[in-house]
Structure formats: C-alpha cells, structure tokens
Amino acid sequence: MSELNNRVVEKYRNNFLKEVEANVEEGDWVKMCMQCGVCAGSCPLGDAWEHTPQKLFMMIRAGKRDEVLSSDAMWMCTSCYNCIVRCPRELPITHIMHGLAHYAARLGLSPKNQPTQKFAQLFWDNLTKTGRVNELKLGLNLYFMNGFSEGVKKSLEMRSIGQGMFFAKRLNPMEILGGHGVKDQAGFHAMLDKAREIEDAKLDKFGK
Amino acid sequence: MAVQKDIGAYICSGCGLGDRLDCDQLEKVAKSDGRAKLTRQHEFLCSKAGVEMIQADIDAGDVSHIVLGACSRRAKTDAFNFENVVMTRTNLREGVIWVRPDTDEARESTQEMADDYIRMGCAEVKYQDLPAPSQEQGLNRNMLVVGGGITGMTSAIEAAKAGYNVGLVEKAGHLGGTAAALYKRVPERAPYSLPVDNGVDSLATQIQGNPRITVYLNSTVTKTSGAPGRFSVDISTESGDTTTENFGAIVQSSGFEPYDMSQLTEFSPESPDVVDQLGLEALAKEANGGAIKRPSDAKAVESVLFVQCAGQRSEKEGHLSYCSGHCCATSIKQAMYFKQANPDTDTVVMYTDLRTPGAGGEDFYRSAQKQGVIFTKGEVSEVTPGDTGPLVKFNDLILDENVEQNFDLVVLATGMLPNSGVNIDAPAPAEGEEVTETPVSILNLDYRQGKDIPQLVHGFTDSHFICFPYETRRTGIYTAGPVRRPMDIKQAMDDATGAAMKAIQAIENSSKGLAAHPRSGDLSFPSFRKEGCTQCKRCTVECPFGAINEDERGFPQYNEGRCRRCGTCMGACPVRVISFANYSVDSVGQQIKAVDMPDEFEEKPRLLALACENDAYPAMDMAAMNKVEYSAYVRAIPVRCLGSVNTIWITDALNSGYDGIMLLGCQKGENYQCHFVKGSEIAHIRMSKIDDTLSQLQLEKERVGTHEVAITDVERIPQIINEMAETVQKIGMSPFKF
Ligand code: SF4
Ligand code: SF4
Ligand code: SF4
C-alpha cells in the first residue's frame, strides 16, 4: 500500500462514499443508484465477476473500502455500455468502473498481475513513447508478458494471423526498429508532463 | 291493471334486421301473442323519421306502452328517449342477428329467437308503469363533514366553494388532525425536492373566514338518522350540550390511528431513542430547524436509521399485512430534516422495497439521494438498547451479510389503522368472552343495520377502490382519506374533493327523488304490499345499503333516499310483495313465461340467461359486436343486479320447461366487482339452495348454473351459454314442457 493511500485513508476516515465522490471519475453518481439490479442483469460479463456494478455501489455505500479497491471486478468491464443504456437512474456505470480501476491503481491497491491492468500499462508505455501505437511491439510485449517460453509459444500460435496482417499491409515488420511517431515529439512529451503535473497537484489536497 | 295499457310495437328493419329476419312475422307475433294494439315497421327506426313516427303515435294518445324491436337497449339511447310513455327495448340486433350465423340452416332458429324476444318485450311492458319520484326527501344544501383533519378541512372548503353550507365536526379542540402534528410535509408540487409547510394553518384560516362553514370543535356526532336530503344529526360537545342539525349528505373523514409501536418488542420500543414517525415529527418540531436531539440524553443526533415497513407488509401475528403507502416518502422527508440541519448526519433508510407513489415520489427520492441520504436494502431483525445508542442488527440483502451497527436514533416506519368506528359485521362476542375495548362509533347511525359504515377488509370502510371510491354502503354518506384506504396527504386531499363532489351529487339527486350511483337518475323505488308481508325481515337484512328500517310491528320501512334501486330486497322477499313501478317479479316472470316452448320431441331446448345489466349484459352485446356466436336456444333477460333475482323465477322457469338456466353476475367477495357490493354474493347464497328445488322436480342439478363474469368476458359468456346447450344435449330435454 502506498503512502498516498495512507494519506487518503486519514483524510476520509471511514467515509468511503465521500472519498469516491471526490476522487473517482463520475464517483458523484454512486449515491444515486437505486439498487434495481438492471446493470447486474445486463452486463454480458456480470456472471464472471466477483461483484456486479450494483453490488460495488452498495459496497461503496457500506464503506467496504479495501474490498472494493482491491477487487478485480471493475477491471473486467469491456466498455460495452449495455449498463449505461439501461440504467433507469442514468448512472454512467462504465465510466465509474474505469474510474474505480484507475483510482485503485493510483493508490497501489489493485490486485497484482491483473491482466487488464498489465495490458493497459503496456499500451500506455507503448503509446507515450512516440505518440503512435507500435502494433508489432505491442503484440510482442503482450505475448511475452508472462515470460519467455510462453511468449514463444504464443507467437507461434499467432503466426498465421501475423502473416495475414503483413500481407494486408496492416503490420510493418520494420516497426521493430522504432516505428513511426507524431511529428512534434518534444511538444507531445511536454504535453504529457504538464498533464502529470496537474494530476499530481490534485493529490496535494491529501497533504504530504 | 286498472289503467288501460295500449301497446305499440315498432320493428326496425335497418342494420340488416330486414335481411335476416321476417319482420312481417315479428309484427304478427306482436299482435297475436303480444296483444299489441298497434304495430309498425320502419327501415331506419332511430332516424329522425322513425322517431317522429313513434312520437306521433304517442302524441295522438294511441299508445301508452311501447316495445321497440331493434338494437340493444344500450344503443341509440339519445334517439329513443321518449317522455311520458313506458318503453322496453328488445334486442334483435346484438341479441339475435349478430350472434347467429347468416346461413340457411340457422334461419329458422334465428327467427324463433327474434319472435320470442318480441313476445317477451310485450309481456314485460304490460307489467311496467311509469315511475314517479317518491317525494320522500327535499332539497337540503347543507353538508356534514365529520373529522377536521386535512381531509375534512379540504372537503369543507371545496363544498363551500361550490355554494353548499358545511357543518364541520372535530372531536379535538383544534382543526388539523394528524397533519397538525407534522413539522413539515412531503411536497406535492415540482420540483419535489424539500419538505414543505404542513399546510394546516392556511386551511384553518380559510375555514375561519368562510361564512358557509360552521366548525364544531370538541364535538362528536351522537346520532345520525334519516336519509340523503333529510339527515338529522345530533352534534354533542364534550360537556354534553347537543344541537340537532339537518344535512343533505355526509362526508366522513375520520382519518387514522397510528399503529401501536409497543407491539414491536423486537425493536425495543420502550427505549427512548427508538421512536415512530410521529415521535420523530415531535422531535423535529421541537428542534424547529436546528439539530434534532435524541430523547435519552439530548445529544444532537449524528446517526439515524429509518426502519421501513416496521410491523407492516408482514403476516406475523399482530402485524399489518398491508402497505400504508405514505411511510417511505415520510421517512425520506424526515431524513431530509437531518440533512437540512446538518449535512454530515449519517442518515440511513433501510428498506426491502422502496415505494414512492405519486407524480413526485421518484423525484423526492432522488432529491434525498442527492442530499446524501443512504438507502440500504436490508431487513432489521433486532434493535437493542446499546451503550452509546440503539444497536441494530440487520441483514444487508444486497451484500448478503449480517451486520450490527450503532445509531444515535432509530425511527420505526409503522402503519396506519383506519378510524372507522364500530365494525357492524363483527361476530358478537361469545358468552364469557372478554371484550377488551369497545370502539367508539363515529356516526352513531340510527339504522337498523348498525351504527357505522360497513367495512371491507382490515377495518377500512367498504368502497370500491377503482370503480366507485367514495361510495360507501350507506347512501349519501361518503368516506374520504385514510379511513377508506391507507394514503398520504396529497391523496387525502384529492379524496376530499372527490367525496365532496359525490356528496353534492347526492344532495341534488335526492332532492328530485333520483337514485345515486350506480343507477344515478333512476326514479323508481321499491314499494311493498303490506297485506302480504309476513315480517320475515329478509329484505331489511339483505339490503346491502341499510335502506330499510323496521316499524314497531316489524314491517319494513323503506327510506327511498337511501335506496340504490338494486332490487336485492325484491329478490329476497319469499312472498314477493316488493316491486318497482317498472321492475318487478311479474315484469321478469312474465317474460319467462312468454317464451314459446316447443315440445319435448322437437329437440329445441330453451335456455334462460338472467344477466346483470352492468357487466354481463354489456359483455354479451360486445360479444355480438365481435361476431362471437352463441346458441340460438338461449333467451337473455337483463336484471338490475343478480341480487334482484327471486328464486320464483327459477322455479317457474323449470316448471314451464326450460332446459337450462344461467345466472350471470359480477365477481363477489373481497375483490368484488358487483355494483351493488353484495348483490352477486347474496344471489350465490340463494342459488346454493336451488338444488332442493331441482331434486324435488327430479331434475339434474347441472341445469342451473351461477357464474361470476366480468365485462371483459366477451368470449367466456358465449362459451358458458354453449356449454349449457351441450350439457342439455347430454342429459336430455326437460320433461316439463306442456
Ligand atoms: S460497460 Fe462494463 S459494466 Fe457495463 S455492461 Fe458492459 S462490461 Fe458490464
Ligand atoms: S442499473 Fe443503475 S440504478 Fe440499477 S442497480 Fe445498476 S447502477 Fe443502480
Ligand atoms: S335492496 Fe336495493 S332496492 Fe331494495 S331497498 Fe335496498 S338498495 Fe333499495
């Protein structure tokens, strides 16, 4: 658990709902859920989750901070938007799921080796390097995410798809050398730095 | 038949009747069998020309009684609206050609059907007279309102606005009832976001300044006698002074009593920090916008739990099985009291189903959520007085876990019990049985049938929820507000207005001798032949509306104003001395006898259907409109209510050779649809004894069937008829055809 987490806990004491409202994207909506269960019934993946969105919202209201933030549930959301379309209270559920996942990650509470989270990190690192996604490297990084031997196995398995993409001009082997990027690399990185600065400033409210 | 009756029979050949039926033959039947003095045919009877043709005969004094052989009596009522003539309408369109196939084989039986209906019409009209008002009651534009809460005050104000004088009786020393005990009330206007003023003062001011309203405080009604248009009411003060006033109609808005929370022992009701909703209102009034303090130690409440459905919607012994309707919104409102005073108060509403009926209910709920009220789906199993405040054990139904939590204050959302006075249908206490408490009567009716309004379930006064909400089973007396069903203030105010309107209608109708709902406008009323009466009291007992008193010698005493004209008394009378000018044992009995009865070997059974005019008969008309066919052997007679069916009709029908008899009435029981509340039920009871008659005649009991049908049974009624035809085919023809 991070030091930031300790500071947040200190600030909100046991009012996890307030904490979510203040720090989670669209967290303000959680209190408006009327527990009808429509989202839980609509989510195509709901059955496979540890907690449905409905239950997560109830857990937040019941102050179950650790259970929510260390849960794997919100990481499983595929952004299909079924729930948003159907929620009678019009909660932006999908966005709250991502908001919760992001918040948990920032506090260092998300479950270790959560595949969605790992991939998200790979994607971020890949993208921020040049400002363009390097498909080849992203694919390879994904295959080798869980070690060398599994990576080789996976690469062989996916070989025909890779070849297909190559012939369809969807994959350029030369990308391995660094690949393409945005024109103004320096500007792009300055922009990212600024964004991080703003984000960090937000955390100041928890004291140092 | 002292007066000369000149019958005119008018046959329409329009709407396909002329193509399907031999109308000349119908005229012949009317002349020979129906003894009509005059018969005419017209190819468009409801047209201006057709109507003028009839009117000319009436004006010339040629006819005093007319029979129209055309469409259903429910159609073209505007066209066929003649004054000073007795009219009956036989149903050749919906009752004959529209329910029969247009084929050569069917032609004969269809014509027989039509011939019989003409015979029946002529027979009926012969036994009908023009009803005249009873003159029993006059115009009295004063209205009595019993109960000075929000409901009663609203009724009084609305009636006064419409130009009627009101006597408003309130047992307490001030107006306002329960609403006066509220700090604030649930809003009934957009944006439905915050509690609003309880509204009592503004209503009270309107009443004080109103010359049409006389308020009787500290008073109760100690005697009510009479009938609509001439109620005589004793109003007594606590000290015993009594004044007697006359009123045309009465609105009873006696409200409710809160459920006694001390019965909920599992919630530690004796603990000072466990209160009911009215208890919380008192605390909020005291705080008057400041921090609400808990009773035990006057600490400002930092956490509060609302327990919804406390002792309600539960089948447990001593609990209320019903939902009181207002308590979810009330808890939401009360949670806002805390949030308004201090947004940091922990306010939790624990519910299994949150119900916020009404236009603004959902908005109000959302407003509370926005203010940070937490709603938890859970069930509280126990409250114990903890060290720092009540300790609550509950099961969180979403997270599926048992939780224990301390709160500073617990509010129990308990239910409402109607303040409906004496249950006149309660079984008398058995000998030696202890009578714990005798309820105080509200109206002290001087009616043979009991002191108060009859109740339906759970002590609420009997009125049909959906179809006729304010009507009670005492004509001219209307109930409004939570005495009739659980409700909130907004609904009670709507109710109050509705009941006031009904009371005004009763005043106006009764002044002209016209019936109230559901035969509104009917002038006929029951009268009885004293010479034949055996003082058996059946009519006085069976009348669903308590219209009949008894004189010293035990003879029935009719109060026309209280009568709904259902005819249940007529059906009850074993010596058949009760009749209406235009509806009697004869007017139906003679129709039954007028049917031409083919002999046993012709294999043409005859079935009799006695159909309630409110639901069953219209459903048969609708079946016709939908081209649903049924047996040509049936002869249908509309009756005012199944309760008006005298068993002599059944006996006579069986004796004269009918092969099957069907009684078609409305649903009875707790969820009744009978327009006369008890008529259908009483008919079912009477008919359960018809088996004796059948076995005496050595007839199969399948020959008589009593059915509960609804106006929507457009397919089912034809099916019942056809099944009876099949049954007769199976068991054979009646041997009583002479
Ligand atoms: S958007 Fe996410 S939470 Fe919503 S239904 Fe789809 S997968 Fe489930
Ligand atoms: S659909 Fe909306 S209101 Fe219903 S449980 Fe899900 S989030 Fe709550
Ligand atoms: S039974 Fe019906 S018709 Fe007879 S007195 Fe009562 S209300 Fe009137």
Side-chain angles (χ1 to χ4, degrees):
Chain A
M1 250 176 256
S2 67
E3 193 235 333
L4 172 63
N5 183 47
N6 295 335
R7 293 203 305 265
V8 174
V9 171
E10 178 53 32
K11 166 138 194 207
Y12 291 100
R13 295 274 158 73
N14 49 23
N15 202 332
F16 184 40
L17 176 63
K18 281 221 171 105
E19 178 182 343
V20 169
E21 286 179 348
N23 304 322
V24 172
E25 188 190 346
E26 305 281 17
D28 218 18
W29 279 95
V30 171
K31 60 176 179 288
M32 298 309 290
C33 166
M34 64 171 182
Q35 293 295 310
C36 66
V38 164
C39 54
S42 307
C43 180
L45 296 146
D47 287 351
W49 293 19
E50 197 183 359
H51 312 296
T52 60
Q54 173 198 14
K55 207 161 159 188
L56 280 172
F57 299 154
M58 201 59 230
M59 290 164 78
I60 293 171
R61 278 143 55 157
K64 295 186 178 292
R65 186 174 192 273
D66 295 345
E67 275 174 82
V68 171
L69 293 178
S70 63
S71 166
D72 154 270
M74 56 275 191
W75 292 99
M76 304 295 281
C77 171
T78 61
S79 309
C80 71
Y81 283 79
N82 247 355
C83 52
I84 288 199
V85 170
R86 292 190 181 167
C87 172
R89 279 297 182 79
E90 301 177 333
L91 268 74
I93 303 166
T94 316
H95 304 171
I96 304 172
M97 291 301 111
H98 299 324
L100 281 171
H102 177 71
Y103 186 59
R106 217 167 60 176
L107 297 181
L109 294 175
S110 47
K112 297 285 156 292
N113 291 321
Q114 210 293 326
T116 321
Q117 186 185 357
K118 270 187 172 173
F119 177 71
Q121 195 61 51
L122 287 178
F123 184 87
W124 179 253
D125 295 345
N126 182 300
L127 171 74
T128 50
K129 214 168 239 149
T130 63
R132 288 280 184 264
V133 176
N134 185 322
E135 296 278 0
L136 185 66
K137 278 192 172 171
L138 184 63
L140 287 174
N141 281 336
L142 179 63
Y143 300 160
F144 285 89
M145 192 167 73
N146 298 320
F148 184 73
S149 60
E150 211 185 296
V152 173
K153 229 174 88 195
K154 196 82 197 165
S155 307
L156 289 172
E157 225 177 80
M158 303 300 283
R159 200 175 50 192
S160 61
I161 291 183
Q163 282 170 349
M165 284 173 75
F166 169 70
F167 288 123
K169 295 210 166 71
R170 289 269 155 245
L171 196 69
N172 182 357
M174 300 317 277
E175 290 272 300
I176 198 86
L177 301 174
H180 64 306
V182 292
K183 273 186 207 131
D184 179 10
Q185 293 270 331
F188 173 63
H189 283 114
M191 203 169 75
L192 288 178
D193 289 345
K194 184 71 196 168
R196 177 159 303 277
E197 198 182 299
I198 296 170
E199 186 75 5
D200 286 346
K202 267 197 213 161
L203 301 180
D204 275 351
K205 66 183 168 197
F206 304 114
K208 280 266 160 71
Chain B
M1 272 180 279
V3 233
Q4 166 84 14
K5 291 189 177 176
D6 295 324
I7 300 175
Y10 299 86
I11 314 289
C12 181
S13 59
C15 280
L17 287 162
D19 303 333
R20 302 281 306 277
L21 299 170
D22 180 346
C23 291
D24 298 339
Q25 153 88 358
L26 293 177
E27 275 196 77
K28 248 182 259 159
V29 168
K31 273 231 168 68
S32 57
D33 298 354
R35 307 238 166 263
K37 176 182 159 200
L38 176 159
T39 65
R40 290 191 202 282
Q41 247 183 74
H42 196 279
E43 72 284 346
F44 193 1
L45 196 61
C46 60
S47 67
K48 194 161 171 273
V51 170
E52 277 170 3
M53 172 183 87
I54 301 171
Q55 190 64 54
D57 289 343
I58 298 171
D59 293 344
D62 290 342
V63 291
S64 62
H65 290 60
I66 59 174
V67 180
L68 308 190
C71 42
S72 166
R73 53 160 71 183
R74 299 172 47 80
K76 306 285 176 201
T77 46
D78 286 348
F80 301 132
N81 182 14
F82 303 105
E83 275 171 19
N84 300 322
V85 66
V86 184
M87 173 177 73
T88 189
R89 296 181 55 186
T90 65
N91 193 350
L92 303 183
R93 193 179 70 176
E94 288 87 342
V96 181
I97 63 166
W98 283 2
V99 291
R100 299 298 306 144
D102 186 7
T103 59
D104 284 341
E105 310 85 83
R107 218 175 160 82
E108 184 187 314
S109 59
T110 306
Q111 180 72 34
E112 283 172 4
M113 223 176 169
D115 290 350
D116 272 347
Y117 278 127
I118 294 295
R119 290 184 188 105
M120 290 159 78
C122 293
E124 180 187 18
V125 84
K126 228 175 282 173
Y127 286 86
Q128 289 179 320
D129 290 311
L130 212 52
S134 74
Q135 314 274 312
E136 177 211 80
Q137 59 276 72
L139 177 63
N140 181 331
R141 299 185 129 216
N142 298 335
M143 188 186 296
L144 172 69
V145 176
V146 186
I150 280 270
T151 317
M153 291 198 287
T154 309
S155 273
I157 291 169
E158 293 298 330
K161 271 192 213 160
Y164 293 77
N165 299 321
V166 180
L168 178 58
V169 176
E170 166 58 45
K171 68 173 186 292
H174 59 89
L175 294 174
T178 308
L182 306 184
Y183 170 51
K184 287 190 172 176
R185 80 177 190 219
V186 175
E188 57 263 4
R189 279 185 209 294
Y192 307 105
S193 49
L194 286 173
V196 297
D197 184 88
N198 70 21
V200 169
D201 286 348
S202 101
L203 290 180
T205 320
Q206 286 180 56
I207 286 175
Q208 269 147 24
N210 198 317
R212 288 195 187 280
I213 306 176
T214 314
V215 180
Y216 301 85
L217 292 176
N218 297 311
S219 300
T220 52
V221 171
T222 43
K223 186 178 165 193
T224 304
S225 59
R230 55 173 183 87
F231 283 115
S232 164
V233 180
D234 289 357
I235 302 168
S236 306
T237 61
E238 254 170 337
S239 51
D241 299 337
T242 300
T243 46
T244 305
E245 297 287 343
N246 291 314
F247 296 99
I250 299 173
V251 171
Q252 179 184 332
S253 49
S254 44
F256 73 101
E257 297 289 338
Y259 176 83
D260 173 13
M261 71 181 270
S262 72
Q263 293 186 60
L264 303 173
T265 47
E266 66 273 33
F267 296 150
S268 298
E270 69 291 345
S271 157
D273 296 333
V274 177
V275 297
D276 63 7
Q277 290 182 322
L278 280 174
L280 187 88
E281 293 294 342
L283 296 179
K285 268 201 157 181
E286 208 176 282
N288 195 23
I292 294 176
K293 304 209 171 72
R294 70 176 181 190
S296 63
D297 56 3
K299 166 184 177 278
V301 173
E302 282 167 35
S303 61
V304 54
L305 175 76
F306 293 87
V307 181
Q308 295 313 111
C309 308
Q312 299 193 68
R313 298 178 63 220
S314 135
E315 295 302 331
K316 266 194 227 149
E317 178 79 29
H319 285 197
L320 306 179
S321 60
Y322 52 87
C323 164
S324 292
H326 75 93
C327 3
C328 280
T330 300
S331 286
I332 291 173
K333 173 194 75 175
Q334 296 185 337
M336 287 183 188
Y337 292 167
F338 290 95
K339 285 291 184 190
Q340 290 294 305
N342 174 11
D344 282 333
T345 322
D346 265 329
T347 47
V348 180
V349 176
M350 191 154 295
Y351 67 97
T352 52
D353 312 273
L354 204 74
R355 295 173 166 181
T356 52
E362 174 69 9
D363 286 345
F364 195 50
Y365 173 18
R366 262 188 292 203
S367 170
Q369 285 181 302
K370 279 190 194 129
Q371 292 171 48
V373 178
I374 300 291
F375 291 84
T376 299
K377 202 170 161 82
E379 251 168 339
V380 179
S381 54
E382 201 184 358
V383 180
T384 48
D387 300 335
T388 56
L391 178 66
V392 181
K393 287 191 189 141
F394 65 90
N395 179 247
D396 187 312
L397 292 170
I398 300 294
L399 305 181
D400 193 21
E401 56 186 20
N402 292 313
V403 186
E404 286 191 18
Q405 202 174 327
N406 271 106
F407 289 89
D408 287 344
L409 188 70
V410 170
V411 183
L412 304 177
T414 51
M416 34 172 57
L417 296 160
N419 191 14
S420 49
V422 182
N423 180 7
I424 60 168
D425 295 317
E431 195 130 355
E433 195 183 324
E434 224 181 296
V435 186
T436 40
E437 47 180 329
T438 33
V440 181
S441 170
I442 309 284
L443 293 179
N444 281 300
L445 290 168
D446 188 23
Y447 284 23
R448 180 193 180 278
Q449 292 78 4
K451 288 177 168 213
D452 276 304
I453 300 286
Q455 304 171 2
L456 181 60
V457 281
H458 312 306
F460 293 97
T461 55
D462 191 356
S463 66
H464 196 284
F465 259 83
I466 297 164
C467 304
F468 32 96
Y470 318 113
E471 299 292 340
T472 67
R473 278 171 50 200
R474 295 295 175 257
T475 310
I477 306 177
Y478 300 89
T479 51
V483 66
R484 137 181 131 66
R485 70 167 175 79
M487 62 177 73
D488 60 25
I489 290 181
K490 167 83 171 88
Q491 288 169 325
M493 291 174 80
D494 290 348
D495 240 47
T497 311
M501 292 301 142
K502 290 302 295 185
I504 289 172
Q505 188 192 29
I507 286 174
E508 295 298 329
N509 268 14
S510 70
S511 74
K512 302 186 195 90
L514 299 171
H517 166 93
R519 291 187 60 84
S520 183
D522 187 2
L523 269 180
S524 73
F525 56 88
S527 61
F528 82 114
R529 241 184 334 107
K530 206 166 184 175
E531 310 83 68
C533 174
T534 58
Q535 295 125 299
C536 74
K537 299 188 175 42
R538 288 222 198 131
C539 55
T540 46
V541 172
E542 290 193 8
C543 169
F545 305 102
I548 315 170
N549 276 8
E550 250 161 42
D551 68 11
E552 322 75 57
R553 289 163 53 215
F555 283 112
Q557 241 177 353
Y558 280 86
N559 291 277
E560 282 87 40
R562 292 192 215 158
C563 168
R564 304 276 179 96
R565 337 284 158 118
C566 61
T568 299
C569 49
M570 180 177 116
C573 182
V575 286
R576 300 177 292 283
V577 295
I578 302 172
S579 63
F580 297 78
N582 54 2
Y583 187 60
S584 62
V585 170
D586 277 338
S587 76
V588 174
Q590 293 299 328
Q591 292 184 68
I592 294 174
K593 288 184 189 145
V595 167
D596 183 52
M597 192 58 68
D599 73 29
E600 204 179 330
F601 309 103
E602 275 186 71
E603 292 292 327
K604 283 180 184 165
R606 287 293 175 253
L607 313 173
L608 176 66
L610 295 168
C612 157
E613 68 178 8
N614 296 300
D615 280 33
Y617 200 73
M620 290 173 77
D621 276 357
M622 282 195 280
M625 291 169 205
N626 290 323
K627 304 268 175 280
V628 187
E629 291 170 5
Y630 56 75
S631 166
Y633 299 141
V634 75
R635 304 292 178 262
I637 301 177
V639 293
R640 287 188 177 188
C641 173
L642 223 47
S644 72
V645 172
N646 194 299
T647 46
I648 191 72
W649 294 340
I650 314 297
T651 319
D652 280 358
L654 291 170
N655 273 316
S656 53
Y658 280 88
D659 302 280
I661 300 172
M662 291 152 283
L663 272 72
L664 306 172
C666 301
Q667 189 170 321
K668 58 183 171 56
E670 228 174 70
N671 295 316
Y672 66 86
Q673 286 180 3
C674 175
H675 287 54
F676 296 101
V677 188
K678 291 280 164 196
S680 177
E681 191 170 305
I682 288 169
H684 276 78
I685 296 170
R686 283 185 208 142
M687 293 307 291
S688 66
K689 296 172 190 142
I690 208 77
D691 283 2
D692 293 348
T693 315
L694 286 160
S695 62
Q696 265 168 28
L697 296 171
Q698 294 192 328
L699 286 170
E700 300 76 0
K701 65 176 194 307
E702 296 90 315
R703 290 198 191 271
V704 181
T706 313
H707 304 271
E708 288 172 69
V709 299
I711 196 157
T712 46
D713 280 336
V714 170
E715 304 274 345
R716 200 177 135 234
I717 296 177
Q719 198 183 328
I720 291 172
I721 295 171
N722 293 338
E723 276 164 12
M724 182 57 98
E726 281 165 33
T727 304
V728 167
Q729 193 151 38
K730 240 178 273 155
I731 59 181
M733 304 285 280
S734 157
F736 286 91
K737 298 177 188 274
F738 310 114

